[in-house]
Amino acid sequence: MTIIKSVYGRRVWDSRGNPTVEVDVILEDGTLGRAIAPAGASRGAREAMDLRDGGSKLRGMDVQQALRSVNEIIAPALVGRDVLDQTGADAAIIALDPSALKDQLGGNATVATSLAVLHAASAAVKKPLWQHIAEIYGRMPSIPLPEIQIFGGGAHAGRRVDIQDFMIMVPGANSFDEVMEITNEVYFAAGDIMAQKGRLAGVADEGGWWPIFDSNEEALETLVAAIEKAGEKPGERVVISLDIAASEFGKNGNYRLALEDRNMDSGALIDMLGGWLDAYPIASIEDPVGEDDPAGMIEFTRRFGKRVQIIGDDYLVTNKTLVENAAQEGACNAVLIKVNQVGTISESIDAFLAAEKAGFGSVVSARSGETEDVTISHLATGLGGGQLKVGSFTRSERMAKWNECLRIQDVLGKSAFVGGAPLANTWWGRKTYGDKK
Ligand code: 2PG
Ligand code: MG
C-alpha cells in the first residue's frame, strides 16, 4: 500500500513569474504527495544548485534539465520503494548526485522530490504533515513564533536600500492569531507613514513595502514609528528582526552601502550594527557579515551573542558540517533552515539537529521566490523548532503559510504557540531593553 508507483515532475510558476519544479509522488493505491521547489534571490555560494537551463528562452530560467533529473533519473530510483522510508529515499537521491552542490541533478529537482515523498507518506498514514514530521523525527510539535517582513530591501527591492529584511516579531503575543492581528496593525501603520511622507510605492518581492528611504537607518526609524503608531511600545510585545544579508554587499570583509555611498571594513560594519542594536529594539539579526567573513562573524557573536539572536543563513546554508564548525568557532547562535539550500529533508533535519545539539536556535524559512506550497508551516510546527520566516503580511504565497499555521492552531490549540521562548536568551527574554550592555 505504501509503495511508490510513480514520480512525475512538471513545470509550474513561482511568485516572481519564474518557472519552477513541482513533483507528484503517487503510491500504488493512488495516494498523492506533491511539493514545489522555491527559489532564492540572495543565494549563498555554498547552497545546493538551483539548476536553470540558461540561454535566452524564459530569460535563461527554464527548468527542463531539472525536470529531466526528476523524470528520467530520480523517478526510476524511487519507484518500488516504501514511501515511509524517507531516509532511504533521500539517500537514494543523494547517491545519484553526491556532488557537494547537487549540481548534476539540481537542488530544485531534489528538494521538490524529497518533500513530495514526505507528503505522500503523511497522506499514506492519514496524518497531517506536521504530525507525521513530529512522529518520524520524534519531536514535540509547537506553533512557531513568526518573523514577518514590513520593508523589503536588498536583492528583493532592486537594491533600493542595502539591508534586505526589516521584520517584526511578536514574542509577547499569546497566540499565533494574536501575532497576525498585531502584525496587520504594524504593517498598515508603516504603509500609512510611507504614504504621509509621499513615499508609498508598492511592495518588494516578498510583499513588504518598497523601501524608499534616504538611508538604511531611516527604515529602522520608520519601523519603530510604525510599531508605536500601531499602539505598541517597541521592545515590549513587539521587537525588530533584521536580515542584513551582508554577502550581497560585501566581499572578503569589505562592504559597500551603496545607498549611503559608504565603504567599510568588517570592523566598521560590526560597529555600525552594534550602534543599531543599542538604539533600536532588535532581538534577532541574520547574516550580519558576509558568508566569506568568518572572522567578522566570530567577532560579532563574541560582542553581541549574549543579547541578540544571530542567525546564519548564507553563512550556514542549512549544512550540518557548517553548523558544527560555527558552533565550535563561536560563530552565530542560530541557523536558518531552508530545505532547498541543502536539497533534501533528511539533510535539513541533520542541520537542524546539529544546531539544537550546539544550543543554537533555528528558524524554518521560505525563499523570496515562493508558491502556494505550505510545507514549511508544517515543518516548523512538526519539529517544534520555534520560529518561522515567510516574508511579509501580503501576497498569497506568503499568507498561505501564515494561514496554514492558523489551521494547525485550531487543531493543536493556542497553548501550543511557543510565544517568546525562542528569544529567552536575548535581552527580550531578560526584559532588559534599554539596559542591553
Ligand atoms: C533570505 C531569503 C528570504 P532569498 O535571505 O533569508 O528572505 O531570501 O530567498 O532571496 O535567499
Ligand atoms: Mg537571509
Side-chain angles (χ1 to χ4, degrees):
M1 288 297 267
T2 56
I3 300 301
I4 298 174
K5 185 173 147 213
S6 68
V7 175
Y8 174 65
R10 73 168 63 77
R11 184 178 69 186
V12 295
W13 304 84
D14 75 10
S15 57
R16 283 192 274 244
N18 287 323
T20 188
V21 176
E22 174 173 274
V23 173
D24 286 359
V25 168
I26 299 174
L27 307 185
E28 279 186 342
D29 67 353
T31 299
L32 167 71
R34 174 176 289 160
I36 311 178
S42 67
R43 301 167 42 74
R46 290 167 289 201
E47 285 191 26
M49 175 176 274
D50 183 24
L51 188 62
R52 301 285 171 172
D53 295 351
S56 56
K57 190 183 169 201
L58 301 179
R59 296 157 60 251
M61 297 294 279
D62 207 357
V63 290
Q64 299 304 328
Q65 288 183 59
L67 291 175
R68 274 196 293 278
S69 296
V70 176
N71 293 326
E72 294 170 20
I73 304 172
I74 301 175
L78 295 188
V79 168
R81 295 190 65 90
D82 185 346
V83 76
L84 299 180
D85 179 14
Q86 182 74 43
T87 314
D90 286 338
I93 295 171
I94 294 164
L96 293 168
D97 181 1
S99 69
L101 300 184
K102 296 192 172 57
D103 49 9
Q104 307 296 308
L105 294 174
N108 41 356
T110 66
V111 72
T113 310
S114 176
L115 292 175
V117 169
L118 188 68
H119 276 276
S122 93
V125 296
K126 298 191 171 41
K127 289 188 177 153
L129 186 61
W130 60 264
Q131 192 179 353
H132 176 63
I133 291 169
E135 287 180 7
I136 63 175
Y137 297 115
R139 309 287 308 175
M140 175 67 84
S142 61
I143 297 170
L145 176 66
E147 295 190 86
I148 307 183
Q149 187 193 68
I150 306 297
F151 303 118
H156 303 161
R159 301 182 196 278
R160 181 59 187 73
V161 298
D162 304 284
I163 307 303
Q164 183 179 288
D165 290 311
F166 297 87
M167 299 170 286
I168 58 164
M169 301 176 82
V170 192
N174 290 315
S175 67
F176 194 87
D177 200 33
E178 196 175 32
V179 174
M180 299 292 103
E181 263 187 33
I182 294 169
T183 303
N184 168 292
E185 303 279 2
V186 174
Y187 182 80
F188 288 107
D192 288 346
I193 294 171
M194 299 292 277
Q196 274 158 17
K197 291 181 171 177
R199 289 177 170 195
L200 198 61
V203 298
D205 268 8
E206 298 189 5
W209 300 111
W210 188 267
I212 302 186
F213 296 112
D214 294 332
S215 68
N216 290 286
E217 196 167 350
E218 193 192 346
L220 271 172
E221 288 162 2
T222 310
L223 187 48
V224 168
I227 295 168
E228 284 168 346
K229 191 169 160 51
E232 298 288 330
K233 197 157 169 240
E236 290 202 346
R237 288 203 302 180
V238 183
V239 302
I240 292 175
S241 171
L242 299 178
D243 182 359
I244 306 300
S247 303
E248 291 290 311
F249 59 84
K251 274 254 163 307
N252 304 322
N254 293 303
Y255 300 90
R256 173 168 176 75
L257 297 180
L259 177 64
E260 299 164 26
D261 193 17
R262 278 166 79 188
N263 295 319
M264 47 181 74
D265 63 13
S266 189
L269 176 64
I270 292 168
D271 285 345
M272 182 192 81
L273 296 176
W276 290 1
L277 297 181
D278 287 341
Y280 304 97
I282 299 164
S284 181
I285 190 161
E286 182 178 323
D287 286 344
V289 300
E291 62 194 341
D292 57 0
D293 187 4
M297 191 64 99
I298 291 164
E299 174 65 3
F300 190 87
T301 307
R302 187 188 66 76
R303 282 178 62 182
F304 307 117
K306 294 267 179 297
R307 54 192 256 204
V308 293
Q309 171 169 262
I310 303 169
I311 306 171
D313 171 17
D314 294 346
Y315 194 84
L316 298 174
V317 291
T318 316
N319 179 304
K320 174 184 184 233
T321 309
L322 294 181
V323 169
E324 286 169 349
N325 292 347
Q328 211 157 33
E329 290 172 1
C332 309
N333 58 27
V335 63
L336 209 69
I337 299 288
K338 290 169 164 169
V339 183
N340 83 325
Q341 276 183 328
V342 67
T344 63
I345 186 71
S346 297
E347 290 162 287
S348 306
I349 301 293
D350 289 346
F352 171 84
L353 293 175
E356 189 171 72
K357 194 166 163 209
F360 278 27
S362 67
V363 184
V364 173
S365 173
R367 301 307 305 247
S368 49
E370 270 292 337
T371 66
E372 64 271 31
D373 187 299
V374 295
T375 309
I376 58 170
S377 306
H378 290 265
L379 183 59
T381 301
L383 290 177
Q387 298 171 79
L388 179 61
K389 180 187 182 194
V390 164
S392 78
F393 204 66
T394 58
R395 300 179 40 146
S396 282
E397 80 278 6
R398 313 289 149 192
M399 303 316 289
K401 276 86 161 164
W402 303 134
N403 289 341
E404 190 72 356
C405 289
L406 290 169
R407 296 181 193 107
I408 298 171
Q409 180 182 258
D410 274 348
V411 178
L412 278 175
K414 290 189 174 177
S415 60
F417 174 58
V418 294
L423 298 180
N425 293 328
T426 68
W427 59 261
W428 187 86
R430 295 189 293 272
K431 307 281 175 234
T432 52
Y433 178 56
D435 176 29
K436 296 188 297 295
K437 290 178 183 169

